[in-house]
Amino acid sequence: YQDGSFRPNAKMTRAEMAVMIANALELSTKDIATTSFSDDKAIPAWAKSSVEALKELGIVKGIGAGEFNPSAQTTRAEAVIVLMNMLGQSK
């Protein structure tokens, strides 16, 4: 977090998860000003590059009408799906 703290028991947003997965995969996350999700304006600037890179790889997908829903808490089911998609990329 910005204050330098580590919060292992904090709930994680979908935007935070995207950034962590992109970092774990060592993806090149060039500065991307917009994503292809319909709720792009709700995605924080610090997460846009990671979100779009993961979408392009098929690791994350939209919810409903093509929304990413970045501030929603990541569910266990979503985390498992993303991790399985991530592992499929690393082969």
Side-chain angles (χ1 to χ4, degrees):
Y1 289 90
Q2 286 181 334
D3 64 2
S5 65
F6 177 66
R7 302 173 192 167
N9 296 320
K11 299 197 180 206
M12 183 184 337
T13 66
R14 290 172 51 84
E16 292 169 333
M17 177 185 61
V19 171
M20 291 187 343
I21 296 297
N23 288 340
L25 290 174
E26 298 178 342
L27 295 179
S28 172
T29 52
K30 57 191 178 293
D31 289 330
I32 295 176
T34 60
T35 69
S36 53
F37 285 104
S38 62
D39 61 346
D40 176 70
K41 290 182 181 174
I43 299 172
W46 53 264
K48 287 188 186 217
S49 298
S50 297
V51 168
E52 189 62 21
L54 293 177
K55 182 180 183 191
E56 289 175 9
L57 289 173
I59 294 175
V60 297
K61 295 178 176 55
I63 298 174
E67 295 179 344
F68 182 67
N69 202 6
S71 60
Q73 290 180 1
T74 302
T75 66
R76 287 186 191 117
E78 288 171 334
V80 168
I81 290 168
V82 168
L83 289 172
M84 294 300 291
N85 291 342
M86 177 186 146
L87 291 172
Q89 289 294 318
S90 63
K91 290 183 178 182

